[in-house]
Amino acid sequence: MAVHPNKNIKRVEIILNITNLGKTYNSAGKTLTVLDNINFTVNAGSTNAIVGPSGSGKTTLLGLCAGLDRSSTGIVELNGINLGDLNEDKRAQVRNQYVGFIFQNFQLLPTLTALENVMVPLELRGEKNIKARAMDLLDKVGLTDRGHHYPAQLSGGEQQRVSLARAFSNQPKILFADEPTGNLDFETSEKVVKLIFDLNREAGTTLVLVTHDLELAAKTQRIIRIKGGKLVADDHTNVIA
Amino acid sequence: MDTTPINYKRKLNIPWLFEMAWRDSRRNRSRLFLFVSSIIFGIAALVAIYSFGFNLKNDVDSQAATLIGADLAISDNKPIEASMQSLIDSLGDRRSEERNFASMIYFPKNKGTRLVQVRALKGDFPYYGSLETTPLQAGKDFRNGKKALVDQTLMLQFDAKVNDSIKVGKITFLIAGILNKAPGQSGIQAGIAPIVYIPLQYLPQTGLMQKGSRISYNFYYKFDKAVNMDKLVKKLDPRLEKAGMNYDTINIRKENTGRSFGDLTRFLSLVGFIALLLGCVGVASAIHIYVREKIASIAIMRCLGVKAYEAFLIYLIQIASIGLIGSIIGAALGSFVQHILPLVFKDFLPISISTDISWMAIGQGVVLGVIISILFALLPLIAIRNISPLNTLRISYEQVNLLRDPLRWFVYVMILGFIVVFTFLQLDSWLGSVFFTIGILIAFLILTLIAKLLMYLVKLFMQSSWSYLWRQGFANLYRPNNQTIILIVSIGLSTAFICTLFFIQSLLVKQVSISASGNQANMILFDIQTSQEKGVAALARQHHLPVLQQVPVVNTRIAKINGKTEADVKKDTTLRFSPHTFANEYRVTYRDSLTPTEKITDGEWVGHAPKLGDVPISVEDRFAKHNHLKVGDKIEFNVQGIPVSTKIASIRVVNWTKMQTNFLVVFPKGVLDDAPQFHVLLTRVPSKPASASFQQAAVKQFPNVSIIDLGLVLSVLDDLLDKLGDIIRFMAMFSIITGMVVLIASVRISKYQRLQESVLLRTMGASRKQILAITAIEYFFLGALSAATGILIALAGSWLLAKYSFEIPFNADLLPALLLFLAIAILTIVIGLFNSRGILNKPPLEILRRDV
């Protein structure tokens, strides 16, 4: 393993490395263990699903993997960067550089148009000619003529497609999706799922999605099962592309 | 794998932050404007006062010469010493001489009498400005015969016309004209002591210049060639001071007038500042709710890579921009309001005030508005730094608490520091500004505590058996995002302010009215010569009036205290006495016993002077404290040229609220009995006609005797307090309006909070009437509690002021307070219902679909 001049970055095939990960909360004087001793790695370019019953800790796991929160124990290495060494602002920059997000409730900025929502991650990176790139992405998700609409003026499916365009706008190394079809009807879900996988394949992005939907999970190459805060199964369902 | 190292020190992209602030404010701009509208009236009040202050200063500078009417004025309250006469006669190129004293005048036409300020004038004074008279030439003509100028208020009061006559002492003068304005005189001064000008040459014939009469001798000088007055008076100062004479120049008057009006405008700017602070509390509260609503958006931005301080800056830019707009609107409004201020102040101003736009005032107001809106908004804004991107997920283990940031203590310190510095700039006293800040802090704390207590009590005593409407209405007082604290603080403070003013005014007027009731004296006759003493008393008895008190008065000055002269005290600042103690003239009396309103607190009362040694005197308690005097201290008095050595034998407490003659220094009998003196007689007149008939007889028989009718004093005091009250009420109005704007803003903001709930209630079948009732109950209690708290604070404050500052019994007039209470409660309900009408008038679906 070659070591990059920047100490935080190592040349590895693994995009996400989770070691002895644990998360506890103190509530009403009691310690609540949400995640306990989780270990797994995610290879670059793979598609992965984290499944488990409600309250099993899968969304917490997603949050930790994406650097939205700090773990209580263990290590999260994203693209070779130990997130535990970084403060919240540095993690924000890591997210902006390497991570894309898709949320169950879309999480678009309500006061920004669809186009502006897609542009934000690029603007943050200080990139040029971003309008054309954002329009291109909206075109890919089939919303060319909806760019100047506000989220409240779009349907749920359209909002999720804007969210998808935004997630891919910064050409992320890894895409985290939290119940991406949870708020959509069957037909719209099908379209959105197809888009996620198509765009993912096209961009060569690693996909980690959290879902209840076993049918959706089955579309990924690997299913990580969580129960009671512990990793109970890690099934490689398909051959890694 | 991308191994490009991340540059964690990303450059701050200011234009992008502004763009995001602009984008994020979409659909919120009217709400944001509503937040800062709370500061508009505070800024308006300050800009108006500042503009008024700047114009006043310029006008005083340009009109100072007309305030004094001459280049130099010298005055003395005793006849000029022979040694000074040559100096007095040698100054200036043109000279005028004036005698100024209080005297009764008599209108033969309708037999009216009135105590006035007589000015007997010789020469062409005033050299700057003019005696403003009707007809115009009367100001000059009256000097050429037995003619007088009579103040316009007197002319109106006694229905007198030009060419009627008045009697001053023994002489009858023809009224040559109406005096509209004398140099340096304000409307209120004319009301209290109306002026009558007569030519000086006729003064001796009036018979009013008696020994012991309190006459001021004034000399006015005009220098035809430019003379450096500052240098001249500096040269003259030692001689004039030694002779006990005062002087005034245009520069001195400029400074003094500027200083006193500066004090007034500074005080009023503090009143305006309170309105601004109230508005700022409203801003902080509104921004707090705004930030809560923005948590989701901020979390999304954080997810996408926006750093904590970048998110903070986006909202700071929004608040600063809207604060700037609010301040500019406030400044524009203030520039308009300043046109009204000269009208409000007209009775107190000796000069005419211009209303030029003051860019300095506008600049100060705008800068102040932006700084203070940012400072107060910082409290909720700093919490933005702590909003976690986790809020985008469903995770909610950690509640977002916007008020737990340790940095908030730094913001509190900055706010307090700002208030202290701002008030220091107004008061020029650190102690004063710290006290003001502590006072404000205490008022806010008391109101906040009361609000919290009320919320706790409502929660505690609310019964589940009450109807849903009442429970819901009450519960709104303590539920999350309630407005109880903010409204009780803002409306409560404005109510307290207005109510305290009212209570104190009515207490003071009532106090004088009480003095005039019962068997207490309500008429004072003074300047009675020793030879007239018995005659005046006899005249009173002839009119069936009781002689309640007859007191001799001797004019004295303090020459030495414990052997130290004024010069010693000036040289040695370690001495505890003030040089002012020596500058004043003291009117003392002598008697062998204490009056019922006096009580010895230290030492021993001595009623008769011993034949040898220092004269044992009694000194009033507060006078002793103020001048650091104690029993045993030696004071040498100058009794009209004769030194009298005394020793403080006792300290007395005096009840000054009683209508009678009270004195700072009382001599025993046997020392001053033969000194030049005049007498004061106190009597009680049962009615206005009895008063008029006695005054007519007294003026006829004893023209030099002056009479103060308490009925007249009462009406003058009422008028004065009314006019002062008008000014303070005018400024307090800004606080009231701010309170109302905060109320409207709070209601509008809470509308968004309550929208979903009301819509759900409507969806479940609640009628329009029921929602209306819940809203009305909530706002009635908010208004009622705020007003009641304000009135209670006003009662407590007035009681403290009455007891410790005015030392008068407290007896509040509650009916107007009750009316104010009702008015505020009703106004709150009306504003509450008016602003909630959107919920009631629209179909639930329309609101449910709306992206709030």
Side-chain angles (χ1 to χ4, degrees):
Chain A
M1 190 190 296
V3 177
H4 190 272
N6 183 330
K7 278 194 282 182
N8 284 329
I9 299 172
K10 301 165 192 168
R11 287 187 189 284
V12 288
E13 296 286 319
I14 294 163
I15 185 89
L16 183 66
N17 186 7
I18 305 295
T19 315
N20 299 329
L21 192 69
K23 182 74 183 173
T24 54
Y25 290 100
N26 286 320
S27 177
K30 287 181 183 171
T31 304
L32 179 70
T33 303
V34 183
L35 288 175
D36 185 22
N37 197 27
I38 306 282
N39 290 282
F40 66 88
T41 56
V42 172
N43 289 347
S46 64
T47 56
N48 309 267
I50 300 171
V51 296
S54 294
S56 60
K58 54 187 188 300
T59 305
T60 307
L61 179 59
L62 180 89
L64 291 173
C65 292
L68 297 180
D69 198 6
R70 272 177 192 276
S71 62
S72 305
T73 57
I75 296 166
V76 177
E77 268 189 355
L78 186 77
N79 200 37
I81 301 167
N82 182 353
L83 297 183
D85 291 345
L86 307 179
N87 63 22
E88 174 42 44
D89 277 347
K90 286 181 177 170
R91 291 206 305 272
Q93 205 141 349
V94 170
R95 288 196 294 272
N96 181 242
Q97 200 79 23
Y98 298 129
V99 180
F101 287 100
I102 302 169
F103 301 97
Q104 179 178 0
N105 48 1
F106 327 130
Q107 299 288 21
L108 296 175
L109 291 163
T111 55
L112 270 63
T113 61
L115 180 67
E116 286 168 344
N117 263 289
V118 179
M119 282 159 61
V120 167
L122 298 169
E123 287 173 337
L124 272 169
R125 289 160 72 141
E127 293 190 10
K128 309 278 176 210
N129 304 322
I130 50 176
K131 201 169 175 179
R133 281 166 61 188
M135 278 307 291
D136 187 40
L137 278 162
L138 280 177
D139 188 38
K140 279 185 180 165
V141 296
L143 292 173
T144 317
D145 53 347
R146 307 286 268 167
H148 295 290
H149 288 73
Y150 288 98
Q153 297 166 320
L154 302 172
S155 69
E158 287 172 327
Q159 286 190 48
Q160 193 60 303
R161 281 189 278 158
V162 175
S163 158
L164 257 172
R166 183 181 66 184
F168 283 99
S169 67
N170 59 338
Q171 294 165 308
K173 298 293 149 215
I174 187 163
L175 183 69
F176 291 100
D178 178 37
E179 299 282 10
T181 56
N183 275 358
L184 303 174
D185 61 54
F186 177 76
E187 212 171 305
T188 316
S189 295
E190 286 284 288
K191 284 181 192 163
V192 167
V193 167
K194 187 174 179 309
L195 260 175
I196 291 174
F197 280 90
D198 286 351
L199 286 170
N200 191 59
R201 197 165 28 249
E202 197 181 308
T205 311
T206 310
L207 176 68
V208 178
L209 63 85
V210 160
T211 184
H212 276 107
D213 183 353
L214 292 177
E215 215 173 301
L216 171 61
K219 289 184 170 139
T220 62
Q221 295 158 338
R222 179 188 183 190
I223 299 176
I224 297 166
R225 291 174 199 275
I226 302 279
K227 197 176 177 184
K230 290 183 191 295
L231 196 155
V232 290
D234 191 351
D235 307 324
H236 291 261
T237 52
N238 293 308
V239 179
I240 296 171
Chain B
M1 179 180 293
D2 182 1
T3 54
T4 315
I6 297 176
N7 176 16
Y8 289 118
K9 286 179 184 166
R10 186 171 69 205
K11 215 175 139 192
L12 200 60
N13 188 346
I14 305 279
W16 182 77
L17 291 177
F18 270 89
E19 195 169 353
M20 274 307 281
W22 176 250
R23 287 169 176 169
D24 185 82
S25 68
R26 283 176 192 148
R27 310 171 91 188
N28 294 311
R29 281 171 204 150
S30 60
R31 289 177 64 200
L32 279 168
F33 180 70
L34 196 62
F35 301 164
V36 292
S37 58
S38 312
I39 65 164
I40 287 178
F41 292 93
I43 294 292
L46 284 172
V47 169
I49 282 294
Y50 286 161
S51 303
F52 176 71
F54 284 126
N55 283 324
L56 189 68
K57 192 180 174 303
N58 290 338
D59 293 335
V60 165
D61 284 353
S62 62
Q63 296 175 46
T66 64
L67 285 174
I68 171 171
D71 291 318
L72 173 69
I74 292 178
S75 66
D76 201 344
N77 51 16
K78 58 186 186 304
I80 302 302
E81 292 167 17
S83 60
M84 297 299 289
Q85 196 61 52
S86 58
L87 174 76
I88 291 297
D89 294 342
S90 66
L91 293 166
D93 298 305
R94 279 183 281 166
R95 297 171 203 110
S96 290
E97 199 176 330
E98 183 191 272
R99 304 276 186 277
N100 189 340
F101 56 94
S103 174
M104 299 302 288
I105 56 159
Y106 178 67
F107 287 86
K109 192 170 104 178
N110 51 19
K111 296 182 178 166
T113 55
R114 169 78 146 94
L115 182 67
V116 301
Q117 203 189 131
V118 176
R119 291 185 180 180
L121 183 66
K122 186 176 100 180
D124 298 329
F125 176 84
Y127 301 108
Y128 299 102
S130 61
L131 295 174
E132 290 173 26
T133 57
T134 311
L136 211 60
Q137 71 278 10
K140 289 198 185 322
D141 289 354
F142 85 97
R143 303 164 209 237
N144 306 326
K146 273 190 196 169
K147 293 176 191 170
L149 295 177
V150 179
D151 185 277
Q152 55 177 340
T153 54
L154 280 175
M155 297 291 280
L156 280 173
Q157 190 186 347
F158 293 99
D159 192 26
K161 302 273 179 296
V162 173
N163 293 330
D164 283 354
S165 57
I166 54 160
K167 202 170 173 196
V168 181
K170 293 175 185 162
I171 304 282
T172 301
F173 292 88
L174 184 78
I175 300 176
I178 303 165
L179 178 67
N180 299 319
K181 196 170 175 294
Q185 187 199 24
S186 68
I188 204 86
Q189 284 170 332
I192 294 168
I195 294 170
V196 170
Y197 270 103
I198 57 167
L200 181 63
Q201 69 212 66
Y202 296 105
L203 182 61
Q205 295 174 40
T206 62
L208 294 175
M209 289 181 72
Q210 310 259 350
K211 235 187 180 178
S213 298
R214 294 163 312 145
I215 298 173
S216 173
Y217 297 76
N218 303 323
F219 302 90
Y220 300 104
Y221 302 97
K222 169 84 176 79
F223 292 80
D224 291 336
K225 283 178 202 154
V227 171
N228 186 331
M229 276 301 142
D230 295 337
K231 259 189 186 168
L232 178 69
V233 291
K234 204 175 169 188
K235 201 174 122 194
L236 294 175
D237 182 75
R239 280 188 73 189
L240 293 173
E241 195 175 327
K242 200 176 170 195
M245 297 168 88
N246 297 315
Y247 58 84
D248 201 358
T249 65
I250 294 170
N251 276 346
I252 293 172
R253 184 65 70 95
K254 205 186 279 185
E255 271 174 36
N256 290 345
T257 314
R259 197 180 307 132
S260 51
F261 281 103
D263 289 345
L264 176 72
T265 53
R266 276 194 287 272
F267 165 72
L268 290 175
S269 67
L270 284 185
V271 179
F273 188 53
I274 291 174
L276 183 59
L277 285 178
L278 276 178
C280 286
V281 175
V283 170
S285 157
I287 302 291
H288 179 73
I289 294 172
Y290 180 67
V291 170
R292 283 198 83 85
E293 286 174 17
K294 286 286 176 184
I295 287 174
S297 290
I298 296 163
I300 297 167
M301 284 195 252
R302 302 281 283 124
C303 249
L304 299 178
V306 173
K307 291 181 178 177
Y309 69 88
E310 289 172 332
F312 165 78
L313 285 174
I314 287 170
Y315 290 94
L316 186 69
I317 289 167
Q318 279 185 10
I319 302 305
S321 312
I322 214 81
L324 178 68
I325 295 170
S327 302
I328 290 171
I329 296 172
L333 185 65
S335 296
F336 171 74
V337 169
Q338 69 132 336
H339 286 84
I340 303 168
L341 285 177
L343 298 176
V344 179
F345 282 92
K346 69 176 188 303
D347 288 323
F348 292 89
L349 297 171
I351 52 172
S352 56
I353 298 295
S354 50
T355 50
D356 299 336
I357 286 180
S358 165
W359 293 108
M360 182 71 130
I362 290 173
Q364 281 182 359
V366 170
V367 170
L368 180 71
V370 173
I371 291 176
I372 205 151
S373 52
I374 288 177
L375 266 182
F376 275 79
L378 270 182
L379 276 175
L381 284 184
I382 51 167
I384 286 176
R385 294 155 40 259
N386 304 326
I387 292 174
S388 163
L390 265 184
N391 286 287
T392 48
L393 299 174
R394 288 170 291 135
I395 299 166
S396 56
Y397 292 111
E398 287 166 301
Q399 287 285 317
V400 179
N401 193 328
L402 295 176
L403 292 173
R404 293 261 166 88
D405 194 309
L407 206 61
R408 76 187 188 280
W409 294 111
F410 175 68
V411 178
Y412 285 137
V413 170
M414 287 219 303
I415 291 173
L416 284 180
F418 182 80
I419 297 173
V420 170
V421 170
F422 179 83
T423 42
F424 171 74
L425 293 175
Q426 312 302 310
L427 299 172
D428 203 20
S429 149
W430 284 114
L431 196 67
S433 57
V434 167
F435 274 119
F436 176 84
T437 310
I438 290 173
I440 288 280
L441 202 64
I442 289 173
F444 273 76
L445 277 177
I446 289 175
L447 284 160
T448 309
L449 285 177
I450 287 175
K452 288 203 165 185
L453 182 71
L454 287 170
M455 283 153 72
Y456 172 77
L457 291 176
V458 166
K459 210 171 177 178
L460 193 70
F461 292 112
M462 200 167 67
Q463 302 289 318
S464 55
S465 57
W466 294 357
S467 83
Y468 172 74
L469 297 183
W470 282 93
R471 275 187 290 127
Q472 186 70 15
F474 272 117
N476 283 350
L477 295 172
Y478 60 80
R479 291 185 326 159
N481 299 323
N482 66 72
Q483 306 145 29
T484 309
I485 291 179
I486 176 68
L487 286 188
I488 285 190
V489 169
S490 59
I491 302 178
L493 209 58
S494 358
T495 311
F497 203 36
I498 292 287
C499 234
T500 309
L501 282 176
F502 169 77
F503 282 146
I504 291 299
Q505 184 181 347
S506 73
L507 273 179
L508 290 176
V509 172
K510 205 179 280 174
Q511 186 56 31
V512 184
S513 312
I514 289 167
S515 301
S517 64
N519 287 321
Q520 295 193 39
N522 61 2
M523 184 176 275
I524 305 169
L525 290 86
F526 59 97
D527 281 347
I528 303 168
Q529 299 299 306
T530 306
S531 58
Q532 299 170 324
E533 193 188 356
K534 283 182 186 149
V536 173
L539 183 70
R541 287 190 193 99
Q542 264 175 38
H543 282 76
H544 309 289
L545 304 177
V547 176
L548 298 172
Q549 222 182 7
Q550 255 183 306
V551 186
V553 179
V554 179
N555 289 340
T556 65
R557 279 176 182 275
I558 291 177
K560 287 178 190 169
I561 301 176
N562 289 339
K564 304 285 180 192
T565 62
E566 184 180 4
D568 296 334
V569 171
K570 273 185 181 166
K571 264 186 230 156
D572 186 354
T573 50
T574 59
L575 289 171
R576 56 202 160 121
F577 315 114
S578 156
H580 296 295
T581 315
F582 298 91
N584 297 332
E585 191 178 54
Y586 297 90
R587 297 197 174 96
V588 303
T589 191
Y590 58 90
R591 50 178 139 88
D592 57 6
S593 57
L594 291 169
T595 65
T597 57
E598 296 173 321
K599 208 174 123 190
I600 298 293
T601 54
D602 195 12
E604 202 184 333
W605 166 256
V606 182
H608 292 275
K611 284 188 179 153
L612 290 171
D614 296 328
V615 178
I617 57 166
S618 182
V619 173
E620 195 257 348
D621 164 66
R622 279 188 296 188
F623 175 73
K625 264 185 208 151
H626 183 70
N627 291 294
H628 308 283
L629 297 170
K630 57 183 189 313
V631 170
D633 279 345
K634 290 188 174 185
I635 304 176
E636 185 183 303
F637 283 91
N638 174 351
V639 183
Q640 291 164 51
I642 298 165
V644 178
S645 296
T646 67
K647 190 167 78 179
I648 299 176
S650 63
I651 307 277
R652 283 167 307 132
V653 171
V654 177
N655 181 357
W656 290 94
T657 60
K658 295 285 177 209
M659 178 69 185
Q660 63 173 57
T661 51
N662 286 313
F663 295 88
L664 297 176
V665 180
V666 177
F667 277 65
K669 272 200 141 216
V671 185
L672 301 179
D673 304 35
D674 296 326
Q677 57 193 269
F678 65 89
H679 298 259
V680 173
L681 183 145
L682 272 73
T683 183
R684 173 165 185 82
V685 287
S687 62
K688 270 190 178 176
S691 165
S693 119
F694 176 60
Q695 283 192 53
Q696 282 162 26
V699 170
K700 235 180 222 171
Q701 212 171 321
F702 307 102
N704 62 300
V705 172
S706 298
I707 303 170
I708 296 177
D709 183 349
L710 203 61
L712 188 68
V713 172
L714 193 65
S715 69
V716 168
L717 177 74
D718 201 16
D719 190 38
L720 176 71
L721 291 176
D722 241 1
K723 282 174 176 162
L724 272 172
D726 279 346
I727 292 178
I728 301 176
R729 263 190 293 273
F730 182 77
M731 292 309 297
M733 184 187 74
F734 288 95
S735 294
I736 297 277
I737 297 176
T738 299
M740 288 299 145
V741 173
V742 171
L743 171 67
I744 293 170
S746 306
V747 173
R748 301 283 301 187
I749 295 155
S750 74
K751 193 169 96 170
Y752 296 93
Q753 304 284 317
R754 305 279 161 80
L755 203 67
Q756 295 294 332
E757 180 188 288
S758 295
V759 166
L760 276 175
L761 284 174
R762 289 205 70 191
T763 314
M764 288 186 284
S767 68
R768 193 184 141 87
K769 208 170 149 189
Q770 282 170 316
I771 305 238
L772 208 66
I774 291 171
T775 317
I777 288 167
E778 180 187 357
Y779 287 110
F780 170 74
F781 279 99
L782 273 176
L785 292 178
S786 312
T789 311
I791 291 169
L792 285 176
I793 287 178
L795 278 170
S798 311
W799 178 78
L800 286 171
L801 280 171
K803 188 170 166 63
Y804 295 105
S805 184
F806 297 107
E807 296 187 7
I808 52 176
F810 180 68
N811 182 14
D813 193 355
L814 289 175
L815 186 68
L818 187 71
L819 292 176
L820 185 70
F821 168 82
L822 286 175
I824 289 175
I826 291 168
L827 196 63
T828 315
I829 297 177
V830 169
I831 292 174
L833 292 180
F834 183 75
N835 283 288
S836 305
R837 70 196 190 286
I839 302 170
L840 299 166
N841 295 340
K842 286 184 177 138
L845 195 62
E846 192 183 321
I847 295 166
L848 279 173
R849 273 187 176 161
R850 193 188 298 164
D851 178 46
V852 181

